[in-house]
Every structure is written in C-alpha cells, then in structure tokens.
Amino acid sequence: MAVCGIVLANVLAQFTVLRIDLTADRRYTLSPDTKQLLRNLSGDTEVTLYLNGSFNSGFTRLSRSAVQLLNEMKAYTDLSISLVNPNKLSDSDRQALVASLARHNLHPTAIYETTGNGSRSETLVYPFALVRYQGREQFVSLLENRRDLSGAENLNHSAESLEYKFALCLRTLQNPERHRILFLEGQGELPEQNTKDVESLLAEHFDIYRGALNSHSDCLNPFSAVIVADPQTPFSEADKYVLDQYIMQGGSVLWLVNGVQFSEQVLEDEGFTPALALDLNLTDMLFRYGVRINNHLLQDLQCLSIPVDVSRNPDQPQWQPMPWTYAPLLLTSNISPITANLSPVSATFCSDLSSVGDNPDLQSTILLASSDHATLIPVPGEVDLGDLNHDPRLFTLAYLPVAVSLDGIFPSVFEHRMIPESIEQHGEKLAQSCPARQIVVASGSVISNDLQQGQPLPAGYDRYSRIQFANRDFILNSVLWLTDYSDLLPLRQKIIPLRLLNKNRLNSGIALPVSLSLILPLLILALTGIIVQLVRKHKYTL
C-alpha cells in the first residue's frame, strides 16, 4: 500500500508544480501582478546575467538572489537563463560589452578587497542583465547605490529591487505600442540639453516628444503624460484651457514649477540676485486642482555644499566646501510607492506648497519634503553668495512639503468660464474629470541636469561631492505612476530584512568562544587518550 502511494505521488508530481515559500519575509514569492505579467508573455524570453564570477560575499549574495528570482519566474513563462562572466570573455567581446553598456549610461563597478598578504586588489563587476523578447532587448541594472546606506545595505536594497526591475523591463518589452510622453515647450521651459539625461532615461520605456500647445482643444490626446519642466513665462488662457481639458479627459501632468523668479547667471557674476514672485498664471488652475505653490524660498540646513575661497590672498585661493542652504536635500516619503526606498532628492531654489480645498474625491500624498531644520524666505528678497553663515536657531520649520501627488476627480478651472476665443473646440467642454493623476513639484531643478564639456551629467549628480542623488529615479517613478505602469511600483516596497551581527556584542563576548575553540579540542583529545589507555589497561591486565 505504501509503495502504491509513493508511485501515485510520483505520477502526480509529473503534472503538478508545488512551490512553497517558508521564509518569513516571502523573499521567494512573486507578486500576483508579476505572475500575471509572466503568464501573458508569448514566446521565449532570454536573460543573460553578467553578474557572474568570484566576488565578495555581498555581490555573491546579489548574484544568487538574481538567479533565484529568474528561476522562480521560469515557473510561469518560457525563460532561458545564461550566466556570463565578462572577465573571462575575450578582449574584443568584453570591449564590445562595455561599449554597449556605455551607450545606455551603464558602467562596470570596481570593488577593492584586501588580500591575505595585505595588498589591495581591484575587480571589475558587471551588475547587469540583458533581457531579450520578440526581437527587442533592454539592459537591467541590478545594483542600487544610495549615499545614505552602507555597502551591505545597498546590496540588500538591490536584492529587494530585483523583481521590480525585471518586471518593469518585461512590461516595456511586452508593449510594442509604447506610451508617448510630451515635454511641453513655449513658456521658457528647460531646453533639451538640460533635460537630456532624464529624456534618455525615460526613452528606455516611452517615446519622448517635445512641442508647444496649439489652438486645438484635443492636441494633447495622443500623449499619456505631459511634463511641464520649469516654465518661466505666463501661460495664456488658451494654453490653460487645452491643459485643463486634457486633464478632464484623464490625462496626466507632471508639473515642475518654481514659485520664485531669480537668475543664477546674475548670482554667479555679481554674487547676489534679487528673488521675486514668479507669476505663471497657473495659481487659479492649480488651486482648483487642490494645491498652491507658495512664493517663498526654502532654506534647509540639510543641503548641498559649494566650494568657497576662504583665503585672504587672492593669488593663493583656498577652496573649502560650505553649506548652501538654498540647495536642500529633500526627504522622500515611504508612504507612496513613487518615493518609497529612495535616497534624498537634490534641488536648488525651491519653494514650498500647500494642499487647499476639501475635495472628497481627491487623494493628496506628500512625496518630497524638507528636513526638520528649515526656514522660508518671503519674496521679494535677495540671495547673496556671501550669506553662508546661518544661525541654526532660525531654522525652526519641519517637513515642509515640496512635491505632492494628486489622484482622483478634478473640477475644471473653466467650469464657469467661457472657452477662449482662439480655441478650436473638438467635442464637449468637460466640467469634471474622469479619474486622473497629477504630480506637482515646487522646483524645476529636480529634473534638470548640468553640463560638463557640453555633455549632460546625470540629473541629481553633484559634481563637487561626486554624489548621485535620487532625482532620476524620482522622475522615472513619477512618470510610471502617471501612466499604466503604476501597478508595478508597489514592488519597490518589498523589504528583505538585513540580519547583521551585533559587532559590539560580538567583540565584547569573543574571548570565551575563542578560548573554548582552542582549549576544548585539546581537552577532548586528552580525555579520549586517557580513556583509551584505561580501557586497554583493563582489557589486557591478567
């Protein structure tokens, strides 16, 4: 009977796959959305994992996590996995791989380790995977690098993000008809050279366009989202109407708008610049949607530093980093999937904003905020490069909102207004939106990238400290949330606890274990010898 049961179990096992995840954090369990995504794939999917070879324990664990995740995905779709060690490729193949990665702004990571004889060795690690599906391919970067985390924590965070990154890549490759994203022009927005980095990042998942509004009320309909990046001149009523009706039809807008007007060029040349309220003719529109950008300049003690010459001799400059409180490092909220697990976002000359109104059909969530040591400077005012010594007692404001997401039903700002004369109306004017989403950021600098020798630097990269902040991820996640990819964002909130040893407790109590490990084997050996001798003596004694 038992034999029959074993045979029956083996037969059933040929047709049934049973997978049980017994870990407390469910680290080997895919989300329902990921499983459905994998089941919807038609055709073979190929993944080439380049994180392969002999590494330290942290990168080995990340490589093992990637392989385990891909094997788990393999249970739900036709997936082939190839492991490649780039350091064992021929020089020509390795150079071709490096060049291909560089075209996607990806570069190998150098890790330094101390060998047994005390010397330091350098190893290049390629924390990337190449995914191919139906003739299309895309690289996936496996490594996260947050400045506020240690090396071990960054590797653990990278393992937490694996499912999200592979799912996002597969969703992008699965959709032959990609969403269209428009960078709006016509009101002095940031030029293409200053949004080039973000545009290249978004181009991996979307088709990117730039253009101005026209008189047709439905001219924005082909686009899934519109980005308004740091406008400097007022919007006309006709432009506002086109944007308003786009939102009423369920369109999504990412607003990156300053509340204060200033000139960085004048500040650089003269050492000071006036700060005035920036009137873009959007106050009534945004107010109607539930948010107000205040005409303040935000100062924060948690900020970037700038090099300042502190030498009294102009012929012998002595540069020293000094905190620049007009360049705050904005905190990210773990409540929203847009900003969960993101490091701080850098900004310059930003304002604060306020939620207004009481719309029960609208949900507002804070995404970015100041630290708990901030203050607000009213305008008109002046920004002076010589004003670098600040009294911390004046920075008494905490967690001032700088960016919010808006999700729900929006009333039209033109509900009780006439259609502007220049508009060519197509369809009926809408007084209320269907479900729509918007994000409002009170700083255009969040999306801007600097230039170095004519080439764009990554958005959020501080060239003085050489630190990369989370601006790129924030913009990408914002656009994903505004489009149909928002169901994948909760995957970023996956948490795998990092169970580290308590070094203080380990060091304080290490003497006893070390002593026991040295003495106990000798005692056991001696006791064994004594027992053997006693047994032999007893056995052979007449």
Side-chain angles (χ1 to χ4, degrees):
M1 192 68 180
V3 175
C4 293
I6 294 175
V7 172
L8 180 61
N10 278 277
V11 171
L12 293 176
Q14 299 295 321
F15 305 97
T16 305
V17 178
L18 181 62
R19 311 179 73 86
I20 302 177
D21 185 358
L22 299 179
T23 58
D25 47 35
R26 313 297 294 173
R27 66 179 62 188
Y28 303 116
T29 300
L30 298 177
S31 72
D33 290 327
T34 301
K35 293 178 182 178
Q36 189 60 44
L37 171 64
L38 294 169
R39 293 189 183 102
N40 291 339
L41 295 177
S42 58
D44 294 339
T45 304
E46 301 177 9
V47 178
T48 303
L49 185 64
Y50 294 105
L51 187 60
N52 186 37
S54 299
F55 313 121
N56 58 32
S57 59
F59 279 97
T60 299
R61 188 163 53 250
L62 178 60
S63 176
R64 188 184 305 119
S65 298
V67 173
Q68 289 171 344
L69 174 69
L70 293 173
N71 284 327
E72 185 68 23
M73 289 181 165
K74 194 174 180 179
Y76 299 94
T77 189
D78 293 330
L79 180 68
S80 61
I81 307 168
S82 302
L83 302 179
V84 175
N85 184 353
N87 293 317
K88 292 186 177 181
L89 295 175
S90 64
D91 291 342
S92 59
D93 290 342
R94 184 167 56 254
Q95 290 173 1
L97 173 61
V98 171
S100 180
L101 291 169
R103 287 193 294 270
H104 295 82
N105 200 26
L106 300 174
H107 305 280
T109 299
I111 57 175
Y112 301 91
E113 296 180 285
T114 303
T115 60
N117 57 11
S119 62
R120 286 174 61 84
S121 64
E122 178 184 356
T123 304
L124 283 181
V125 176
Y126 297 77
F128 311 109
L130 179 62
V131 182
R132 296 185 179 92
Y133 176 73
Q134 292 188 349
R136 298 182 293 274
E137 63 181 31
Q138 183 176 320
F139 280 103
V140 177
S141 177
L142 310 180
L143 182 62
E144 295 288 321
N145 189 15
R146 286 178 49 177
R147 66 181 294 270
D148 56 328
L149 299 180
S150 65
E153 290 171 332
N154 266 314
L155 288 169
N156 187 70
H157 181 45
S158 300
E160 294 172 341
S161 305
L162 288 176
E163 182 182 350
Y164 163 71
K165 290 186 174 182
F166 278 107
L168 176 59
C169 176
L170 290 172
R171 172 70 68 82
T172 302
L173 296 176
Q174 182 189 32
N175 296 329
E177 296 294 331
R178 307 211 305 174
H179 292 284
R180 297 179 178 183
I181 307 299
L182 175 67
F183 277 78
L184 196 62
E185 295 180 329
Q187 286 76 32
E189 288 87 355
L190 290 171
E192 185 176 0
Q193 63 180 0
N194 291 116
T195 59
K196 188 65 176 178
D197 177 64
V198 167
E199 289 186 36
S200 300
L201 176 66
L202 295 176
E204 297 179 6
H205 310 283
F206 308 97
D207 291 333
I208 306 301
Y209 296 82
R210 299 183 69 90
L213 299 173
N214 57 40
S215 59
H216 295 273
S217 63
D218 60 351
C219 66
L220 294 178
N221 287 3
F223 301 100
S224 299
V226 174
I227 298 178
V228 184
D230 198 9
Q232 295 299 312
T233 59
F235 284 73
S236 67
E237 291 299 309
D239 290 340
K240 289 167 59 177
Y241 180 80
V242 172
L243 284 167
D244 178 80
Q245 290 301 293
Y246 170 70
I247 295 170
M248 295 306 107
Q249 297 178 66
S252 300
V253 180
L254 171 57
W255 304 89
L256 298 114
V257 179
N258 290 325
V260 175
Q261 184 179 16
F262 56 90
S263 173
E264 291 195 53
Q265 188 62 48
V266 172
L267 179 64
E268 182 178 342
D269 296 338
E270 305 293 337
F272 66 91
T273 181
L276 306 172
L278 180 59
D279 182 13
L280 296 173
N281 194 27
L282 293 175
T283 302
D284 57 340
M285 189 173 184
L286 295 178
F287 191 93
R288 184 75 167 163
Y289 298 154
V291 67
R292 179 182 61 234
I293 297 177
N294 300 313
N295 299 128
H296 300 143
L297 266 181
L298 175 66
Q299 284 186 290
D300 199 326
L301 292 181
Q302 178 177 289
C303 59
L304 294 174
S305 296
I306 58 174
V308 176
D309 183 9
V310 296
S311 174
R312 296 183 179 180
N313 185 354
D315 297 329
Q316 296 180 346
Q318 182 180 351
W319 299 98
Q320 180 176 330
M322 298 291 288
W324 182 236
T325 56
Y326 292 103
L329 299 178
L330 303 173
L331 303 178
T332 56
S333 169
N334 282 326
I335 297 176
S336 170
I338 300 173
T339 50
N341 296 329
L342 284 188
S343 60
V345 171
S346 66
T348 55
F349 300 106
C350 63
S351 303
D352 68 314
L353 47 78
S354 305
S355 296
V356 294
D358 186 18
N359 186 349
D361 298 323
L362 188 65
Q363 181 179 359
S364 174
T365 304
I366 296 176
L367 303 179
L368 302 176
S370 71
S371 75
D372 55 351
H373 293 88
T375 189
L376 294 173
I377 306 299
V379 293
E382 183 179 271
V383 178
D384 193 338
L385 277 176
D387 184 21
L388 296 175
N389 296 316
H390 303 284
D391 185 354
R393 293 173 296 180
L394 301 178
F395 291 74
T396 58
L397 302 179
Y399 310 120
L400 299 171
V402 177
V404 296
S405 64
L406 305 170
D407 186 7
I409 308 297
F410 297 93
S412 171
V413 70
F414 286 89
E415 180 179 5
H416 304 294
R417 299 185 189 179
M418 298 291 291
I419 299 176
E421 293 183 0
S422 60
I423 290 294
E424 296 183 26
Q425 180 68 25
H426 298 273
E428 182 183 355
K429 184 182 81 169
L430 301 177
Q432 182 174 282
S433 78
C434 56
R437 288 178 169 181
Q438 299 184 66
I439 292 177
V440 181
V441 185
S443 174
S445 64
V446 170
I447 198 173
S448 177
N449 59 256
D450 291 333
L451 298 174
Q452 190 172 56
Q453 298 179 348
Q455 297 299 316
L457 294 172
Y461 178 76
D462 179 36
R463 68 175 74 186
Y464 303 114
S465 63
R466 297 182 179 181
I467 293 175
Q468 176 66 55
F469 295 95
N471 297 49
R472 303 175 84 244
D473 291 333
F474 171 71
I475 297 297
L476 174 60
N477 292 344
S478 296
V479 177
L480 292 174
W481 183 79
L482 292 171
T483 58
D484 289 343
Y485 291 81
S486 58
D487 59 314
L488 298 181
L489 287 177
L491 298 179
R492 297 183 58 260
Q493 297 176 293
K494 185 174 184 178
I495 296 178
I496 300 176
L498 184 61
R499 297 178 175 89
L500 299 175
L501 295 176
N502 188 323
K503 293 185 178 180
N504 293 330
R505 185 175 179 182
L506 180 64
N507 293 332
S508 62
I510 197 173
L512 180 59
V514 169
S515 301
L516 290 177
S517 64
L518 293 175
I519 298 174
L520 194 58
L522 298 177
L523 291 176
I524 294 175
L525 183 61
L527 183 60
T528 303
I530 293 173
I531 293 175
V532 170
Q533 291 297 325
L534 291 175
V535 170
R536 293 184 62 186
K537 183 177 180 180
H538 176 74
K539 183 175 181 180
Y540 297 107
T541 300
L542 296 177

